[in-house]
């Protein structure tokens, strides 16, 4: 049925992301127009941004961001939708929406993102880090990514720990402070080693 198919596709999207194969799941433009499920549309916006289709990602994101993301219901899918929206927002460099999403997610900083019991999407700190980095708030972003890394270690989630290290390193580099470059190189090396060990892209 349609519910089972949606669950399957959400879980498959999480797997294909780790494999660097999200592009395999992109529908034709005609089929994309027919997608009604809001979380699926959030995944679609993220997938477009991840494979470099910024124009389509921007179009999807604009629709979802209308009236302060009013279309995203506060139900068991809210965290998942917010996760994919935060990723897309960061990719597009949309500072206005980054500030908005940061305010929406801040009360849940010490929680973890998931879609029900179906898909785990990492620590809320990870997404706050992405949004803070988009706003060039590099100290805040660094603190969020460090907190996310420790939260992912506590969960035993090695893929997300590696991703946190990667974004933390990017933040230290983008801050422009050369005294942080040594720490950034260390984080990158550890992130790459974990990714290689797990076969992640």
């Amino acid at each position: 049925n349609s519910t089972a198919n949606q669950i399957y596709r959400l879980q498959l999207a999480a797997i294909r992301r780790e494999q660097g194969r999200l592009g395999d799941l992109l529908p034709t433009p005609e089929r994309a127009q027919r997608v009604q499920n809001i979380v699926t549309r959030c995944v679609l916006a993220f997938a477009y941004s991840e494979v470099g289709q910024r124009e389509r990602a921007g179009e999807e994101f604009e629709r979802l961001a209308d009236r302060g993301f009013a279309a995203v219901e506060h139900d068991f899918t809210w965290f998942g939708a917010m996760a994919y929206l935060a990723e897309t927002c960061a990719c597009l460099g949309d500072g206005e929406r980054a500030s908005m999403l940061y305010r929406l997610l801040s009360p849940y900083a010490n929680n973890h993102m998931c879609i029900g019991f179906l898909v785990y999407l990492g620590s809320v700190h990870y997404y706050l880090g992405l949004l803070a980095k988009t706003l060039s708030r590099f100290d805040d972003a660094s603190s969020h990514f460090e907190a996310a890394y420790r939260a992912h270690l506590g969960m035993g989630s090695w893929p997300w720990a590696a991703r946190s290290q990667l974004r933390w390193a990017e933040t230290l580099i983008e801050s422009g402070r050369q005294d942080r470059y040594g720490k950034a190189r260390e984080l990158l090396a550890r992130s790459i080693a974990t990714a290689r060990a797990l076969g992640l892209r």
Side-chain angles (χ1 to χ4, degrees):
N1 61 37
S2 60
T3 302
N5 184 57
Q6 288 173 8
I7 291 171
Y8 167 72
R9 294 192 69 80
L10 285 170
Q11 292 177 329
L12 188 60
I15 294 169
R16 291 291 181 262
R17 173 188 185 162
E18 303 295 2
Q19 296 171 331
R21 296 173 53 196
L22 260 179
D24 294 355
L25 301 182
L26 288 176
T28 64
E30 294 75 19
R31 288 189 61 190
Q33 289 297 324
R34 294 197 296 268
V35 174
Q36 299 296 319
N37 181 273
I38 292 298
V39 181
T40 304
R41 296 214 73 94
C42 294
V43 175
L44 189 60
F46 167 67
Y48 284 139
S49 69
E50 188 81 344
V51 302
Q53 296 187 26
R54 289 178 58 87
E55 185 174 344
R56 286 186 176 173
E59 291 170 357
E60 286 291 341
F61 187 72
E62 283 298 320
R63 281 194 286 267
L64 292 161
D66 187 46
R67 294 176 295 117
F69 301 97
V72 184
E73 295 184 18
H74 281 260
D75 58 15
F76 76 98
T77 66
W78 187 82
F79 275 121
M82 288 291 111
Y84 288 115
L85 287 169
E87 294 254 27
T88 307
C89 182
C91 180
L92 295 172
D94 188 329
E96 180 183 349
R97 270 57 174 274
S99 182
M100 191 180 303
L101 288 167
Y102 190 93
R103 288 195 301 272
L104 288 171
L105 287 173
S106 287
Y108 309 101
N110 294 317
N111 292 64
H112 290 259
M113 297 289 223
C114 59
I115 302 175
F117 295 102
L118 308 175
V119 181
Y120 175 67
L121 294 168
S123 165
V124 175
H125 274 295
Y126 175 82
Y127 298 94
L128 291 172
L130 287 178
L131 297 166
K133 186 157 80 77
T134 302
L135 295 164
S136 298
R137 290 165 42 188
F138 297 117
D139 288 344
D140 288 340
S142 181
S143 296
H144 282 306
F145 287 129
E146 181 175 8
Y149 170 66
R150 299 191 187 286
H152 294 144
L153 283 185
M155 290 282 290
S157 179
W158 298 108
W160 281 97
R163 186 171 284 118
S164 300
Q165 288 175 312
L166 172 63
R167 300 305 181 204
W168 186 3
E170 288 176 350
T171 301
L172 295 176
I173 293 168
E174 289 178 32
S175 72
R177 287 184 48 181
Q178 294 187 14
D179 60 319
R180 298 180 176 183
Y181 290 176
K183 177 67 173 178
R185 283 193 292 270
E186 175 191 337
L187 289 166
L188 284 172
R190 288 160 57 189
S191 176
I192 291 168
T194 300
R196 284 176 175 164
L198 297 176
L200 305 178
R201 293 294 299 276

